[in-house]
Amino acid sequence: MTQSYEATDASRVLTMEEITNLTEEGSKPADTLMNVVALIATRFRTDVCSAYLLEPDRSNLVLAATLGLHPRCIGTLRMPINEGLSGLVAEQVLPVAVEDVSKHPRFKYFKESGEEVYHSFLGVPLVDRGILQGVLVVQTKNPRKFREEEIRMLGEAASQVAPVVSEARTLDRFIAPAQERLWSVAHNLSWCWDYDCISLFRDLNPTRWSQLNQNPIALLNEIPLGELERRATELGLHSRINYVYRRQQEYLRADRTWGSMNAGVLRPRPVAYFSAEFGLHESLPIYSGGLGVLAGDHIKSASDLGIPLIGIGLFYGQGYFRQYLDEKGWQREEYLRTDVDQLPMELAIGKKGEPVVVEIQTRGVAIRAKVWRVQVGRCTLLLLDSNVQGNAPEDLELTSRLYGGDGRTRIRQELLLGIGGFRALKAMGISPGVLHLNEGHSGFAVLEAIRDRMQEEGLDFDTAAHEIPREVVFTTHTPVPAGHDRFHGDLVEEHLGPLREQLGISHERLMGFGREHPHNQHEPFCMTVLGLLLSRRANAVSSLHGEVSRAMWKGLYPGKPEDAVPIGHITNGVHVPSWLAPQMSRLYDRHLGVGWQGKSSWLRTWEPIENLDDGELWETHLSLKSQLIEFVRRRAREQAERRGEPEETLQRLGKVLSPDALTIGFARRFATYKRANLILADIQRLASMVNDPKRPVQFLFAGKAHPHDEPGKTVLQQIAELMRDSKFGDKFVFIENYDINVGRYLVQGVDVWLNNPRRPLEASGTSGQKVVLNGGLNLSVLDGWWAEAYDGLNGFAIGGGKTHSNMDVHDKRDGEDLYRVLQEEVIPLYYQRDKDGLPRGWITRMKRTIRTLGWRFSADRMVMDYTRNCYVPAAGGTSSEMKLPS
């Protein structure tokens, strides 16, 4: 029976003003199209609205935007114009209205689209300046006879939308063949946070994609061009290749960004973001852990927001070590050479059109470095590499390993990072407006900036040293003493003596910039002190860490009360697209609205989370948990095979863990203060907990101890040995070689994330924030970010935020509370199920953690905080600021 409909609300479906507003909201044609189809579907009271683009060959249509059909079909659903009803519209360049499509001879059903439930069809051509650009379609579940007035109105809407479609298609008109588009996409790391790109590369060869550490450059290097074209044709990938290329080009060319509106002062003089490590993707192994991943997330969000920022780091030819455990569970390290040809890097070119090489004179020899350039979305990352002709043998390997070697190696690396990094910028014609030092490793950059200002403007040291700190932002990341590099005076003079002479200051004055007590000649030079004294804006990385840092460094500011010590805080956040599971992202797409990821730092974006169907959220989580368990089983078996363990052990490891058991994850650096072994305080109690047949618990561990940290390795061995204990073997698994890939599986699939550092030594921590995005719950000591995030209902807390002067008492008390919370709160809530088998109370807590924390701990919020409070003021871009009497 034909469904009757009331008249459409308005006399028109869209106006030019609305199109303009939608364009501004979307910032890219692809996003604008999604906004447009969503609005048309609402105004027209239809179940579906879709936009199809005419491909460059003008023989095929590809789905570009839809509300109602499966989102995964965007860019993949491709049809010739001589097939289907949409093709009929394109063929005739006339509207086509059908009350019941099943009765029309041109009807063609595309199973993957989910359109089998829709009966009526109305399609109109999208024509711009007399040229067909695509087709606009609406559909309904019930048969519907569209009136002439409705056909006319949709046609008018199409005429308003056509210029947007034309702009989207323009990016495809004069571009290269499929393989060149793939290479173009692969050479910009923006692909690594775009699931459409990731899935496209994976589908070219799933087995090799996994074996090659998900590296698209390595994958494409293996496939001959003819073979690549054949696979793309056989697998129907051409439309997807066009789509991801177009999306990337739109992203890179967008000029209406948050940064363009809020940080325009940085465009001519960008932020120079110095960091000893950058964790962007597992295929670029120049990171060790949290500091690097934080830096990677920072530059990614700067790209998304359109903040003019250039990263400066070092290229470690052997990266951080590859970890494996021997038959006794003891950590062993191996270093593998990274093949530069398999990475998306090219040599940086200077102002004179030649590859950049920087040189730093020491008391002995000059240290030279070439500079690699990596594109990270809209941002650039420069990496200095000492493996160049002319260096002394020890310096050829200077940047080969991250955090390796002795103090002499470390100071030479930091000389390259700070002084060499600043000189690389100048060689490329870049004059930074802000220097952001991510931890003290790059502190020498400020001294080089002072020297440069003295030379350029003819200033004396005192004047330049007064001006430069206004442009410096310094972030301190740890209260742990080992995290602050210190060098003896002879090392400082050997490496900075020539620079010191150019600055015109004495050795003792230079040393004073790195001492808490400037006149104490026995005190070594501390890089954190240098960063604090030569920056106008300094911050910790959480509220509690701010308090700890002010107390820790108050001696640098004599006469000031602790609360007046000039160290603030900007709490760390995580890059949402990088850490959110695709399944969870699709769930959010349906409920948070089109373009929600671009508004992930807005509180109201996350409010609809409460409307998620409990069953749908839980099923999505269980799917991710199953993926995690499959991954762990595979890795555990591979680890045992490498050790030559017997077949029965391999078979057992291939079945470890149960998807029905409460799964707790712990993954981080195995420093002793992180207390990975706190859960082992009462082995018998732990055994009864994990082996409860009605309410079992299982644990996943991953993490690396520093090669020289013997106590940390001992803790790791304690955990690993439980895999061999018959009481724990199937319930405790240690995953070797913790990296971004392992971390991604863990944070997306665990039920609970365990974090129990010795308060207040956790500066921030971000792994638990990644868990939040994916619906996992945190069980953590009230330290770092969790101290300001926990509200009593969005996770679980260990202890009440108290410490004890006696470390043994402190650990014993926290250990007892960990067991109590597990047995009295976590486990009962997880296993409390209703008649449908759903843990309603647990799901309520999942929704609350996502809604209350997702926006607060996003890297977008973090980078916007840095921009408003640090970058723009440092660059002199504030329009109003009043100084109050001190």
Side-chain angles (χ1 to χ4, degrees):
M1 180 179 294
T2 301
Q3 182 75 24
S4 62
Y5 285 82
E6 296 178 3
T8 308
D9 293 340
S11 61
R12 77 289 182 273
V13 176
L14 289 177
T15 65
M16 280 305 298
E17 182 181 1
E18 287 174 322
I19 289 287
T20 301
N21 291 338
L22 291 174
T23 300
E24 290 176 351
E25 290 177 11
S27 78
K28 302 193 290 282
D31 289 342
T32 300
L33 279 178
M34 289 296 291
N35 291 334
V36 165
V37 297
L39 183 56
I40 291 176
T42 301
R43 291 274 178 84
F44 225 72
R45 299 181 180 178
T46 58
D47 301 305
V48 174
C49 183
S50 305
Y52 295 83
L53 268 62
L54 193 62
E55 293 210 292
D57 60 12
R58 302 196 66 80
S59 300
N60 294 278
L61 292 167
V62 61
L63 180 65
T66 185
L67 180 74
L69 303 184
H70 287 320
R72 65 172 177 267
C73 292
I74 295 175
T76 64
L77 196 160
R78 186 170 182 255
M79 69 183 80
I81 63 172
N82 61 359
E83 294 183 2
L85 290 169
S86 298
L88 184 61
V89 176
E91 267 189 321
Q92 298 179 349
V93 197
L94 291 171
V96 173
V98 180
E99 182 176 343
D100 191 343
V101 294
S102 64
K103 299 176 182 177
H104 196 284
R106 276 290 293 264
F107 172 64
K108 182 175 180 180
Y109 164 52
F110 292 88
K111 182 178 180 182
E112 68 273 21
S113 70
E115 64 177 346
E116 68 273 15
V117 299
Y118 304 113
H119 289 273
S120 74
F121 174 97
L122 171 59
V124 294
L126 291 159
V127 179
D128 182 51
R129 288 167 291 184
I131 300 174
L132 179 68
Q133 304 291 335
V135 175
L136 183 65
V137 172
V138 294
Q139 297 170 265
T140 63
K141 290 182 179 178
N142 296 311
R144 173 175 173 180
K145 186 176 173 120
F146 291 96
R147 305 187 312 275
E148 289 295 326
E149 177 69 3
E150 292 175 313
I151 297 172
R152 180 188 65 77
M153 290 167 59
L154 190 63
E156 290 178 357
S159 68
Q160 309 285 25
V161 175
V164 178
V165 175
S166 177
E167 184 182 355
R169 289 188 67 253
T170 297
L171 295 171
D172 276 340
R173 285 231 175 112
F174 303 106
I175 53 181
Q179 62 269 24
E180 294 187 30
R181 299 186 197 182
L182 285 170
W183 278 104
S184 177
V185 171
H187 272 93
N188 189 308
L189 279 171
S190 65
W191 68 262
C192 76
W193 67 89
D194 185 330
Y195 184 70
D196 289 320
C197 293
I198 295 169
S199 62
L200 173 61
F201 287 124
R202 182 191 60 218
D203 290 350
L204 284 171
N205 190 327
T207 301
R208 290 301 290 153
W209 176 250
S210 177
Q211 293 170 346
L212 293 169
N213 210 20
Q214 305 186 68
N215 182 341
I217 302 292
L219 181 69
L220 294 175
N221 272 328
E222 283 193 356
I223 307 176
L225 296 184
E227 176 69 9
L228 182 63
E229 183 64 31
R230 183 185 67 79
R231 291 188 193 180
T233 301
E234 287 180 353
L235 298 172
L237 300 180
H238 284 287
S239 296
R240 292 171 62 188
I241 294 170
N242 292 342
Y243 177 69
V244 299
Y245 178 87
R246 182 174 64 247
R247 278 270 303 276
Q248 188 183 76
Q249 293 302 306
E250 290 175 354
Y251 174 84
L252 297 177
R253 297 178 186 183
D255 58 0
R256 286 190 293 269
T257 63
W258 186 89
S260 68
M261 297 297 294
N262 294 275
V265 70
L266 300 174
R267 184 167 296 280
R269 301 185 67 220
V271 177
Y273 182 85
F274 292 80
S275 182
E277 49 175 309
F278 284 87
L280 294 157
H281 186 260
E282 57 267 29
S283 62
L284 185 60
I286 55 171
Y287 65 94
S288 70
L291 179 71
V293 173
L294 182 278
D297 281 9
H298 191 108
I299 195 171
K300 289 175 182 177
S301 274
S303 170
D304 289 345
L305 293 167
I307 306 297
L309 180 146
I310 298 173
I312 298 100
L314 300 178
F315 176 68
Y316 303 100
Q318 298 177 30
Y320 202 45
F321 65 91
R322 182 176 180 83
Q323 177 200 54
Y324 66 94
L325 304 187
D326 63 20
E327 62 279 358
K328 296 181 180 179
W330 189 255
Q331 173 182 291
R332 302 294 180 182
E333 301 89 26
E334 63 178 344
Y335 291 88
L336 304 176
R337 177 69 63 178
T338 301
D339 185 353
V340 175
D341 293 334
Q342 304 284 35
L343 296 174
M345 307 195 314
E346 59 186 22
L347 289 173
I349 303 301
K351 292 182 290 185
K352 298 179 180 179
E354 298 178 349
V356 174
V357 177
V358 299
E359 182 174 298
I360 306 168
Q361 187 64 50
T362 70
R363 288 296 188 205
V365 299
I367 304 173
R368 305 173 76 239
K370 58 189 172 186
V371 182
W372 296 103
R373 186 173 184 268
V374 181
Q375 281 306 121
V376 186
R378 301 182 182 114
C379 295
T380 298
L381 173 62
L382 303 178
L383 300 173
L384 282 78
D385 181 355
S386 70
N387 186 20
V388 296
Q389 188 175 3
N391 269 341
E394 67 169 328
D395 293 329
L396 286 172
E397 296 294 319
L398 183 58
T399 60
S400 62
R401 296 180 180 180
L402 173 59
Y403 300 145
D406 55 12
R408 180 179 174 80
T409 298
R410 181 64 67 87
I411 196 172
R412 292 169 88 83
Q413 286 184 339
E414 297 183 357
L415 201 70
L416 272 185
L417 175 61
I419 298 174
F422 190 90
R423 291 181 181 176
L425 290 170
K426 301 295 287 188
M428 295 175 68
I430 300 168
S431 294
V434 181
L435 303 181
H436 185 173
L437 313 181
N438 188 42
E439 196 55 275
H441 309 299
S442 54
F444 295 143
V446 187
L447 298 176
E448 174 63 14
I450 292 172
R451 185 202 65 79
D452 182 71
R453 185 67 57 86
M454 291 170 64
Q455 179 178 313
E456 282 194 352
E457 301 185 16
L459 305 178
D460 61 21
F461 174 81
D462 289 327
T463 303
H466 177 73
E467 288 186 359
I468 288 296
R470 297 173 182 170
E471 303 169 7
V472 179
V473 177
F474 176 70
T475 300
T476 180
H477 280 270
T478 178
V480 179
H484 303 276
D485 290 333
R486 288 177 166 85
F487 303 115
H488 291 296
D490 55 347
L491 271 181
V492 173
E493 179 61 21
E494 178 188 351
H495 292 92
L496 277 87
L499 176 63
R500 175 186 64 74
E501 290 173 350
Q502 290 179 299
L503 294 174
I505 60 176
S506 68
H507 172 72
E508 279 306 307
R509 187 166 186 200
L510 173 61
M511 290 295 294
F513 285 110
R515 287 172 172 164
E516 295 183 63
H517 306 93
H519 303 297
N520 180 357
Q521 297 185 7
H522 300 289
E523 184 181 337
F525 187 97
C526 176
M527 297 297 287
T528 302
V529 172
L530 175 67
L532 290 169
L533 292 181
L534 291 182
S535 62
R536 183 65 58 87
R537 293 167 179 84
N539 70 282
V541 290
S542 71
S543 178
L544 179 58
H545 181 226
E547 295 178 16
V548 172
S549 297
R550 287 187 288 275
M552 185 175 181
W553 300 109
K554 64 181 179 180
L556 292 176
Y557 310 94
K560 284 186 179 291
E562 187 174 301
D563 288 347
V565 169
I567 301 175
H569 81 276
I570 294 176
T571 303
N572 288 342
V574 297
H575 186 242
V576 174
S578 291
W579 298 103
L580 182 64
Q583 298 95 316
M584 196 66 73
S585 180
R586 288 194 290 269
L587 180 63
Y588 293 170
D589 287 344
R590 293 197 296 274
H591 295 275
L592 302 187
V594 175
W596 71 268
Q597 286 195 358
K599 305 168 186 174
S600 63
S601 61
W602 298 9
L603 182 151
R604 63 177 178 272
T605 296
W606 298 88
E607 290 176 352
I609 287 293
E610 292 296 340
N611 300 327
L612 288 180
D613 178 77
D614 285 0
E616 188 177 19
L617 177 60
W618 187 243
E619 284 301 317
T620 303
H621 169 66
L622 291 183
S623 172
L624 293 170
K625 186 175 177 179
S626 294
Q627 286 184 10
L628 168 62
I629 290 174
E630 290 174 11
F631 170 76
V632 170
R633 288 172 175 174
R634 185 169 64 250
R635 288 290 289 264
R637 184 182 174 99
E638 290 170 355
Q639 293 168 191
E641 282 181 323
R642 181 188 48 74
R643 289 190 293 267
E645 301 202 16
E647 181 61 30
E648 58 267 24
T649 300
L650 301 184
Q651 291 183 5
R652 179 180 65 80
L653 291 174
K655 299 176 181 178
V656 294
L657 307 180
S658 167
D660 298 320
L662 171 63
T663 303
I664 299 175
F666 180 104
R668 52 190 41 85
R669 186 162 52 92
F670 265 70
T672 51
Y673 79 89
K674 303 275 190 180
R675 299 189 300 187
N677 56 353
L678 189 65
I679 192 67
L680 310 185
D682 189 335
I683 287 293
Q684 294 305 317
R685 193 173 178 184
L686 181 62
S688 64
M689 186 188 302
V690 301
N691 292 304
D692 185 333
K694 293 184 178 180
R695 304 190 306 182
V697 182
Q698 56 198 14
F699 290 85
L700 295 175
F701 285 84
K704 296 177 177 179
H706 188 279
H708 302 312
D709 183 3
E710 297 294 310
K713 289 184 178 182
T714 299
V715 172
L716 192 157
Q717 185 180 39
Q718 287 181 275
I719 298 294
E721 285 179 338
L722 292 184
M723 290 181 66
R724 300 178 180 278
D725 190 319
S726 59
K727 297 191 296 293
F728 299 99
D730 293 336
K731 305 292 177 58
F732 262 77
V733 180
F734 182 88
I735 306 166
E736 295 177 7
N737 203 40
Y738 182 41
D739 65 0
I740 287 176
N741 185 42
V742 173
R744 194 182 296 117
Y745 274 101
L746 284 167
V747 299
Q748 292 176 0
V750 296
D751 297 309
V752 172
W753 194 252
L754 176 61
N755 186 34
N756 43 233
R758 190 175 289 121
R759 178 186 161 105
L761 299 181
E762 180 82 61
S764 176
T766 57
S767 55
Q769 298 170 356
K770 297 158 192 164
V771 173
V772 162
L773 296 173
N774 294 286
L777 299 183
N778 278 269
L779 168 59
S780 177
V781 166
L782 292 170
D783 199 5
W785 78 281
W786 191 238
E788 63 197 68
Y790 177 64
D791 70 2
L793 297 173
N794 57 6
F796 307 95
I798 302 168
K802 298 177 182 178
T803 60
H804 198 283
S805 57
N806 185 305
M807 191 181 303
D808 292 334
V809 173
H810 188 166
D811 291 350
K812 184 174 185 296
R813 192 164 59 188
D814 281 354
E816 290 173 351
D817 202 58
L818 170 58
Y819 279 107
R820 182 195 63 77
V821 174
L822 279 171
Q823 293 183 314
E824 296 180 10
E825 298 180 37
V826 179
I827 297 173
L829 187 64
Y830 182 82
Y831 284 104
Q832 184 179 338
R833 307 297 170 98
D834 68 1
K835 58 182 177 59
D836 297 320
L838 295 175
R840 299 284 183 180
W842 189 273
I843 296 170
T844 297
R845 200 165 287 221
M846 288 172 66
K847 289 182 179 180
R848 187 176 181 90
T849 192
I850 298 169
R851 178 173 59 81
T852 61
L853 304 179
W855 69 275
R856 284 184 62 192
F857 299 102
S858 75
D860 279 6
R861 187 274 309 155
M862 173 185 71
V863 173
M864 286 191 287
D865 282 349
Y866 273 108
T867 302
R868 293 190 190 101
N869 299 318
C870 299
Y871 298 161
V872 170
T878 54
S879 300
S880 175
E881 184 178 356
M882 302 300 292
K883 296 293 185 183
L884 300 177
S886 57

